[in-house]
Amino acid sequence: MNKDEMIQFYKEYEEKLSAYQTALETIAFDQATIAPKAGEDARNQASAMLHGELFSHMTNEHAMKVMDDLTKEDIEPILLKSIQQRLRSIRDIRILPKEVYVDYERTSSKTQSMWEKAKKANDYKLYEPYLIKLIEKKKNLLTYRKESLSDYEKLLDDFEEGMSIEKYEVFFQEIKTKLIPFIKEIQTKGKAIDTTPLEVLFPINKQTEFMKVLQSYMNYDSNYCYMGVSMHPFTTKLCDNDLRITTAYHEHALTSSIFSTIHEYGHALYSLQVDRKYAGSILMDNMSMGMQESQSRMLENCIGRTKAYWINNYKPLQNLFPEQLSNISFDDFIKMINASKPSLIRTEADELTYPLHILIRYEIEKAIFNDNINCEHLDELWADKYEEYLGVRPLNDAEGILQDIHWSVGEFGYFPTYALGSGFAAQFFKQMKQDIDVDDLLANNNFSAISEWLKENIHQYGSYLNANEILTKVTGHDFDPSIYTDYLINKYKEIYHI
Amino acid sequence: MNKDEMIQFYKEYEEKLSAYQTALETIAFDQATIAPKAGEDARNQASAMLHGELFSHMTNEHAMKVMDDLTKEDIEPILLKSIQQRLRSIRDIRILPKEVYVDYERTSSKTQSMWEKAKKANDYKLYEPYLIKLIEKKKNLLTYRKESLSDYEKLLDDFEEGMSIEKYEVFFQEIKTKLIPFIKEIQTKGKAIDTTPLEVLFPINKQTEFMKVLQSYMNYDSNYCYMGVSMHPFTTKLCDNDLRITTAYHEHALTSSIFSTIHEYGHALYSLQVDRKYAGSILMDNMSMGMQESQSRMLENCIGRTKAYWINNYKPLQNLFPEQLSNISFDDFIKMINASKPSLIRTEADELTYPLHILIRYEIEKAIFNDNINCEHLDELWADKYEEYLGVRPLNDAEGILQDIHWSVGEFGYFPTYALGSGFAAQFFKQMKQDIDVDDLLANNNFSAISEWLKENIHQYGSYLNANEILTKVTGHDFDPSIYTDYLINKYKEIYHI
């Protein structure tokens, strides 16, 4: 094959992978939102089969050779970068002997189902031996990777390219030394905020109506985006120009559907605003986990929880729920949606205490993979750290080490990107406030100017630039964790008057 | 490969095909119901790619050889029949030289898009040369088939195995000689039924609520079935135990969503009640078009338009629409939902005039393929037949020959199965009434006894038995078209008091 033929071959390869992804994401979205329960087994079987087909195409020997060859040719930068990222996405798989890979997948799948059982039974001991076995196998996989990185660094790199462990250390030290004492200070000196008025009955049909208010405020375009309902909110791209977000409604938690919608819309907007010049390539979708979370969390927290965001949205909310909200002042509402209180469940944590949940997971992962600690009694290590950092101790496994699925499917190194996203968000947000009058725009129903800023400064690049390249381009410097802690401390000093 | 290995191979082949079908049906259902418009191109591209993949797997040389070999082995009857039906489904493709097949597919795809354009422009002449070309190519395809059948018989056989042209001739003669004069008699002697009270404003949210009444009456189980909304109602099976039906709501046509729901539920129920012993094989799904339509039309017309069906359902309907319906008596309502009037559009035709729409298409198709008529001016032939048989003449192409998509995608021989379905339905229904007290069961909210009869007598067999085998098993004799015309004439004599 000459260069042009190889390029043509590569484009068809990407088209094929993307067709399988469309199929798998469509089936998964359907399953999570509307699919009748009785079809689950057959649907899972079909998905597994198609995953296998996708995997075979993705790791096709000939395709990998063509890509390797192309990276040595003189090709244009977008094409080169998209090939490099595709190769990176299969790099770990290529180097593994097939039997090692299959054995690992089997272990992981078994561990996940044991985690489900153990969580239901609220009994970590059922799952512990499987988790320990999975960690061993994961360590074994890492021996095939020859980069001069420690085990945990390899894992971190999988989810956030270019974030070295030194940078993570600085980040988590910043969280640990600044936020832990600050949170304790709020607990002792701040006046507790009563959020129970937002936990009375809020009928779901009215909540659904309010989502339309928010969608309209944020210029949600139903030609490009569809919103469904699922047990856990998520965002998925089905194909070009087709983003799906979901929310979950809870009768006794008004803010749950609201902030999950704003959060997921942040993800969707990111995908929708990538420059079309990357169409047909992995660069449209391959944004890092930290970058993805930065966009959802910035919208949810830095923007969605401000007075300016609510100045025109609180009245419609009150109108929909006159009995529940007419006696709650605007200022009190803003306080309630920003209340902070140490708790046990990560996904329910507020903006301020959230990074401590991640700190705990980061320290445990690092201990497992870099310090090779004995992995028995991780549940106790978990509980001790919650008690030490957050002042709360899980009374059972379900609200402790069993709460998250990630480790059971071998996703070690993933959690840190959640906190990183908030860190990136704070740095982007500081710059945004310098560039445009965010509060004024939000208060004047000009959300499109916010979207535009995000598109110009961040979204357009897709994964053509990585997190640090974008941060530097937009803010003039590398990731700086102190901006994040400053943001949180300043914000919460005002909320709690300390 | 020994026999067991071949069987194992064949089972995996079926599993793979079924995974692709799940993917394609899921994407199609999503697209027809909720998918954001902007994603259409990308989604179509993904679908086309997956269709290609499915096609390659389906016509894989090795798989076809294994199936051929297995049919010569001593294997159990279910397995044998499922292999025979799979081979039959690809029989036409296997015998074609690839370039002939590809050329035909290209022509068909072009013809379809020209049909869309012509329909929008209301101009048959734009499309005519493409249709003529497609007919030529179709005739050419048929030359590769060596059965001793006329061209049109080959086409008819594609959609309804075992229905010879002699049987079709008897069927359509029956329709022609009995129904045409009878319909004219109604027009002249019968008192016209005013249906305008069902065409005032019926808000869609209330119509949606009424669907729940019908669902509950028919024991619709949401663990197995999901109902969506689409422009044209349809039923699709996404995978085992997962049926989807859709309806379309029209503010000024109350009965449209009602009868399309009953119709589509008839299809769904058929799929859901096939015996699980056929699971994993084509026998679960490969029921003939005539059989499929017999189940939807029996439910919609023979059952859904009776007094007994409505005796407990009309009150809830009136309660939802008191302004619109409180002055309409039960008897008048029953008359209105059974009113008959010659019209131009097949899909909007009533139960009595419907078969004449099919008769016209049958005669034209037969003239094209068996009499080799000159295919210029098919639009005029169409209009002449409408005028002769139904007494109405299309004033433009959109309400004439351009109304249906079928011919533009090469589906000649398909239309007759629609009328056949009604014919089968009448024969099954006559037997059902002899076996169980249908009216009594319907009037006493015992729909499950109807479902049970359908399951025991018809649904359980899937495609293990063909239409005539089932008809004979259930009613003691072959298909008898006079039962159908008797049913219609008796029914409409009562409605129109003639």
Side-chain angles (χ1 to χ4, degrees):
Chain A
M1 279 198 215
N2 63 30
K3 192 172 92 176
D4 286 347
E5 285 163 347
M6 287 197 289
I7 291 174
Q8 187 54 31
F9 177 89
Y10 167 71
K11 286 192 171 159
E12 283 163 20
Y13 165 84
E14 285 293 344
E15 245 178 58
K16 186 168 281 191
L17 299 190
S18 127
Y20 281 94
Q21 265 145 1
T22 292
L24 287 162
E25 295 299 330
T26 306
I27 293 171
F29 176 78
D30 178 88
Q31 169 134 319
T33 52
I34 57 170
K37 280 211 187 73
E40 202 169 290
D41 285 349
R43 211 175 305 112
N44 287 341
Q45 201 183 331
S47 269
M49 175 70 78
L50 295 163
H51 264 294
E53 297 278 286
L54 170 59
F55 183 78
S56 305
H57 288 302
M58 201 186 273
T59 56
N60 174 281
E61 285 297 332
H62 179 60
M64 292 195 292
K65 165 120 185 31
V66 168
M67 288 192 279
D68 286 338
D69 290 350
L70 271 173
T71 58
K72 289 165 209 143
E73 296 273 345
D74 178 29
I75 55 177
E76 53 120 357
I78 292 178
L79 183 61
L80 178 62
K81 203 161 268 197
S82 74
I83 294 170
Q84 286 167 336
Q85 287 191 25
R86 177 60 70 199
L87 284 169
R88 189 183 135 89
S89 79
I90 48 178
R91 135 194 102 166
D92 299 356
I93 298 159
R94 304 179 69 163
I95 53 170
L96 295 178
K98 192 166 180 197
E99 64 282 8
V100 174
Y101 176 77
V102 170
D103 174 59
Y104 174 78
E105 285 292 306
R106 202 179 297 124
T107 308
S108 154
S109 150
K110 180 70 193 164
T111 309
Q112 187 193 344
S113 78
M114 289 311 296
W115 168 76
E116 280 164 13
K117 271 190 202 145
K119 190 170 180 178
K120 243 178 228 159
N122 195 3
D123 184 0
Y124 176 64
K125 293 296 157 197
L126 282 177
Y127 156 68
E128 187 180 39
Y130 295 88
L131 177 63
I132 292 174
K133 176 70 88 188
L134 185 67
I135 289 169
E136 273 166 31
K137 302 245 177 192
K138 189 84 182 185
K139 285 183 179 174
N140 178 48
L141 292 194
L142 295 172
T143 61
Y144 291 89
R145 286 172 59 177
K146 302 304 177 199
E147 311 107 287
S148 56
L149 294 172
S150 67
D151 275 1
Y152 194 42
E153 282 177 291
K154 289 175 182 170
L155 294 171
L156 290 171
D157 186 64
D158 278 347
F159 295 104
E160 195 65 45
E161 194 181 356
M163 268 295 292
S164 64
I165 200 158
E166 290 76 22
K167 287 186 188 175
Y168 268 118
E169 282 295 301
V170 172
F171 178 49
F172 282 111
Q173 270 308 310
E174 179 77 20
I175 288 171
K176 198 165 175 173
T177 54
K178 297 240 184 97
L179 296 187
I180 292 179
F182 179 67
I183 289 168
K184 290 198 173 135
E185 198 185 339
I186 286 189
Q187 291 310 106
T188 49
K189 293 194 207 153
K191 186 170 171 272
I193 297 168
D194 178 18
T195 57
T196 53
L198 301 185
E199 291 147 21
V200 300
L201 180 71
F202 290 88
I204 286 172
N205 61 335
K206 298 273 174 172
Q207 290 193 40
T208 311
E209 272 189 59
F210 185 65
M211 289 308 123
K212 291 181 196 146
V213 174
L214 289 189
Q215 288 176 352
S216 153
Y217 177 74
M218 297 192 291
N219 311 308
Y220 168 100
D221 184 345
S222 64
N223 282 314
Y224 292 83
C225 205
Y226 176 84
M227 181 162 150
V229 174
S230 64
M231 199 188 301
H232 304 288
F234 65 93
T235 302
T236 176
K237 178 174 167 178
L238 263 50
C239 62
D240 254 19
N241 290 328
D242 180 350
L243 265 289
R244 309 292 173 100
I245 63 177
T246 71
T247 193
Y249 293 103
H250 302 285
E251 270 185 351
H252 288 278
L254 171 66
T255 54
S256 178
S257 63
I258 290 175
F259 290 104
S260 83
T261 298
I262 304 175
H263 180 101
E264 300 306 333
Y265 186 62
H267 285 303
L269 199 59
Y270 194 177
S271 272
L272 285 169
Q273 297 203 116
V274 176
D275 197 310
R276 306 289 310 159
K277 72 182 168 200
Y278 304 122
S281 85
I282 192 174
L283 303 177
M284 287 293 285
D285 307 306
N286 201 32
M287 292 80 93
S288 74
M289 298 311 305
M291 280 304 297
Q292 297 270 14
E293 285 297 305
S294 80
Q295 297 310 293
S296 53
R297 283 165 197 271
M298 177 160 37
L299 209 55
E300 177 193 348
N301 294 325
C302 309
I303 291 173
R305 293 182 198 266
T306 60
K307 285 187 181 181
Y309 184 95
W310 283 98
I311 213 146
N312 291 309
N313 287 318
Y314 188 51
K315 193 48 90 195
L317 186 65
Q318 277 183 315
N319 290 344
L320 279 165
F321 299 107
E323 282 174 41
Q324 298 91 331
L325 297 179
S326 57
N327 287 329
I328 297 178
S329 74
F330 179 70
D331 285 345
D332 281 347
F333 176 74
I334 297 298
K335 267 185 199 269
M336 286 177 202
I337 64 175
N338 284 291
S340 173
K341 194 178 167 195
S343 64
L344 290 164
I345 305 294
R346 177 184 64 82
T347 55
E348 292 165 13
D350 58 79
E351 191 183 358
L352 177 61
T353 59
Y354 187 86
L356 300 199
H357 292 261
I358 303 305
L359 167 68
I360 291 166
R361 286 154 177 79
Y362 170 78
E363 290 188 347
I364 297 175
E365 289 182 341
K366 196 174 63 155
I368 294 171
F369 286 94
N370 276 7
D371 306 336
N372 290 307
I373 57 162
N374 178 348
C375 286
E376 277 168 36
H377 312 301
L378 288 178
D379 52 336
E380 285 169 28
L381 181 57
W382 178 289
D384 291 344
K385 283 186 185 282
Y386 264 81
E387 191 160 1
E388 185 186 347
Y389 298 163
L390 280 158
V392 289
R393 188 177 183 92
L395 294 177
N396 58 59
D397 297 332
E399 61 181 30
I401 193 168
L402 288 179
Q403 66 183 270
D404 290 310
I405 192 177
H406 304 58
W407 290 349
S408 80
V409 292
E411 289 187 337
F412 303 95
Y414 187 128
F415 283 124
T417 65
Y418 288 141
L420 205 58
S422 299
F424 293 169
Q427 187 166 333
F428 284 131
F429 187 60
K430 185 179 171 189
Q431 186 63 44
M432 187 197 275
K433 291 193 88 159
Q434 285 169 20
D435 292 352
I436 54 178
D437 190 341
V438 177
D439 283 350
D440 188 65
L441 293 165
L442 289 174
N444 287 292
N445 290 322
N446 193 347
F447 189 86
S448 60
I450 311 278
S451 300
E452 195 50 40
W453 188 93
L454 291 169
K455 180 179 175 181
E456 280 310 304
N457 289 281
I458 301 169
H459 297 176
Q460 64 155 313
Y461 301 112
S463 64
Y464 186 74
L465 301 182
N466 71 24
N468 257 319
E469 287 167 336
I470 298 178
L471 280 165
T472 307
K473 208 174 171 93
V474 179
T475 69
H477 60 87
D478 231 22
F479 175 44
D480 176 356
S482 71
I483 297 176
Y484 176 43
T485 48
D486 284 352
Y487 158 82
L488 284 176
I489 290 169
N490 289 332
K491 174 171 175 174
Y492 278 88
K493 270 189 175 165
E494 197 187 319
I495 290 166
Y496 280 92
H497 304 292
I498 56 170
Chain B
M1 277 197 215
N2 64 31
K3 193 174 90 175
D4 286 346
E5 285 163 347
M6 288 197 289
I7 292 174
Q8 186 54 31
F9 178 89
Y10 167 71
K11 287 194 170 157
E12 282 163 21
Y13 164 85
E14 285 293 346
E15 246 178 57
K16 187 169 280 192
L17 300 190
S18 128
Y20 280 93
Q21 267 145 1
T22 293
L24 287 162
E25 295 300 332
T26 306
I27 292 171
F29 178 78
D30 177 89
Q31 170 134 319
T33 52
I34 57 170
K37 281 212 185 72
E40 200 169 291
D41 285 349
R43 211 176 304 113
N44 287 342
Q45 202 183 331
S47 269
M49 174 70 76
L50 294 164
H51 265 295
E53 296 278 288
L54 170 59
F55 183 79
S56 306
H57 287 302
M58 201 185 274
T59 56
N60 174 281
E61 284 297 334
H62 179 60
M64 292 193 293
K65 166 118 184 30
V66 169
M67 288 191 281
D68 286 339
D69 291 350
L70 270 174
T71 58
K72 289 163 210 144
E73 297 274 345
D74 177 28
I75 54 177
E76 54 120 355
I78 292 179
L79 183 61
L80 178 63
K81 202 160 264 194
S82 72
I83 294 171
Q84 285 166 337
Q85 288 192 25
R86 176 60 70 196
L87 285 169
R88 188 182 136 90
S89 78
I90 48 179
R91 135 195 103 169
D92 299 356
I93 298 160
R94 317 181 53 166
I95 53 171
L96 295 177
K98 191 164 180 197
E99 64 281 8
V100 174
Y101 177 78
V102 170
D103 175 61
Y104 174 77
E105 286 292 307
R106 202 180 296 122
T107 309
S108 156
S109 152
K110 179 73 194 163
T111 309
Q112 187 192 345
S113 77
M114 288 312 295
W115 169 75
E116 280 163 15
K117 272 188 200 146
K119 190 170 180 180
K120 241 177 232 160
N122 195 2
D123 183 1
Y124 176 66
K125 293 296 159 201
L126 283 177
Y127 155 70
E128 186 179 40
Y130 295 88
L131 177 62
I132 292 174
K133 175 70 86 187
L134 185 67
I135 289 169
E136 274 167 30
K137 302 245 177 193
K138 189 84 184 183
K139 286 182 178 173
N140 178 47
L141 291 195
L142 295 172
T143 62
Y144 291 88
R145 286 173 57 177
K146 301 304 177 202
E147 310 107 287
S148 56
L149 294 171
S150 67
D151 275 0
Y152 194 42
E153 283 176 291
K154 289 176 184 170
L155 293 171
L156 290 172
D157 186 63
D158 278 345
F159 295 103
E160 195 66 43
E161 195 181 356
M163 268 296 291
S164 65
I165 200 157
E166 290 76 22
K167 288 186 186 174
Y168 268 118
E169 282 295 301
V170 172
F171 178 49
F172 283 111
Q173 270 308 310
E174 178 77 20
I175 288 170
K176 199 166 174 171
T177 55
K178 297 242 184 93
L179 296 187
I180 291 178
F182 178 67
I183 289 168
K184 289 196 172 135
E185 199 185 340
I186 285 189
Q187 291 309 108
T188 49
K189 293 195 206 152
K191 184 168 173 272
I193 297 169
D194 178 17
T195 57
T196 53
L198 301 185
E199 291 148 20
V200 300
L201 180 70
F202 290 89
I204 287 171
N205 61 336
K206 299 269 177 179
Q207 290 194 39
T208 311
E209 271 187 60
F210 185 64
M211 288 309 124
K212 290 180 197 147
V213 174
L214 290 189
Q215 288 176 354
S216 153
Y217 177 74
M218 298 191 291
N219 311 310
Y220 168 100
D221 183 346
S222 64
N223 282 313
Y224 291 83
C225 205
Y226 175 85
M227 180 161 153
V229 175
S230 63
M231 201 187 300
H232 305 288
F234 65 93
T235 302
T236 177
K237 179 176 167 177
L238 263 50
C239 62
D240 253 19
N241 290 329
D242 179 350
L243 266 289
R244 309 292 172 102
I245 63 178
T246 70
T247 193
Y249 294 103
H250 302 286
E251 268 184 354
H252 289 276
L254 172 66
T255 55
S256 177
S257 62
I258 290 175
F259 290 105
S260 82
T261 298
I262 303 175
H263 180 102
E264 301 306 334
Y265 186 62
H267 285 301
L269 199 58
Y270 195 176
S271 272
L272 285 170
Q273 297 202 118
V274 176
D275 197 311
R276 309 287 312 158
K277 72 182 168 201
Y278 305 122
S281 85
I282 191 174
L283 303 177
M284 287 292 286
D285 307 305
N286 201 33
M287 292 81 93
S288 75
M289 297 311 306
M291 280 305 296
Q292 296 271 14
E293 285 298 305
S294 80
Q295 297 311 294
S296 53
R297 283 166 197 272
M298 178 162 32
L299 208 55
E300 176 192 347
N301 294 326
C302 309
I303 291 172
R305 294 180 198 267
T306 59
K307 284 187 183 181
Y309 184 95
W310 283 98
I311 213 148
N312 291 308
N313 287 318
Y314 188 51
K315 196 42 92 195
L317 186 65
Q318 278 184 314
N319 290 343
L320 278 167
F321 299 107
E323 283 175 41
Q324 298 91 331
L325 297 179
S326 56
N327 288 330
I328 298 177
S329 73
F330 178 70
D331 285 346
D332 281 348
F333 176 74
I334 297 297
K335 269 186 198 269
M336 287 177 200
I337 63 175
N338 284 292
S340 173
K341 196 180 168 192
S343 64
L344 290 163
I345 306 293
R346 176 184 63 82
T347 55
E348 293 164 13
D350 58 78
E351 191 183 356
L352 178 62
T353 59
Y354 188 87
L356 300 198
H357 293 260
I358 303 303
L359 167 69
I360 292 166
R361 286 153 178 80
Y362 170 79
E363 289 188 349
I364 297 175
E365 288 182 343
K366 195 174 62 157
I368 294 170
F369 286 94
N370 276 6
D371 306 335
N372 291 308
I373 57 163
N374 177 348
C375 287
E376 277 167 38
H377 311 301
L378 289 179
D379 51 337
E380 285 169 29
L381 181 57
W382 179 289
D384 291 345
K385 284 188 184 281
Y386 264 82
E387 191 160 2
E388 185 186 348
Y389 298 163
L390 280 158
V392 290
R393 190 176 182 92
L395 295 176
N396 59 58
D397 298 331
E399 61 181 30
I401 193 168
L402 287 179
Q403 66 184 267
D404 289 311
I405 192 176
H406 305 57
W407 289 349
S408 79
V409 293
E411 289 186 338
F412 304 96
Y414 187 128
F415 283 123
T417 65
Y418 289 141
L420 204 57
S422 299
F424 293 168
Q427 186 165 333
F428 285 131
F429 186 60
K430 185 179 173 192
Q431 185 64 44
M432 187 197 279
K433 292 191 87 158
Q434 285 169 20
D435 292 351
I436 53 177
D437 190 341
V438 177
D439 285 349
D440 188 65
L441 292 166
L442 290 173
N444 286 293
N445 290 322
N446 194 347
F447 190 86
S448 60
I450 310 278
S451 301
E452 195 51 38
W453 189 93
L454 291 169
K455 180 179 173 181
E456 280 310 304
N457 289 281
I458 302 167
H459 297 178
Q460 63 154 314
Y461 301 112
S463 63
Y464 186 73
L465 302 182
N466 72 23
N468 256 319
E469 287 166 338
I470 297 176
L471 280 165
T472 307
K473 206 172 173 94
V474 179
T475 69
H477 59 86
D478 233 21
F479 176 44
D480 176 356
S482 71
I483 297 176
Y484 175 45
T485 48
D486 285 350
Y487 157 82
L488 284 176
I489 289 169
N490 289 333
K491 173 171 176 172
Y492 278 89
K493 270 189 175 163
E494 197 187 320
I495 291 167
Y496 281 92
H497 303 290
I498 57 170

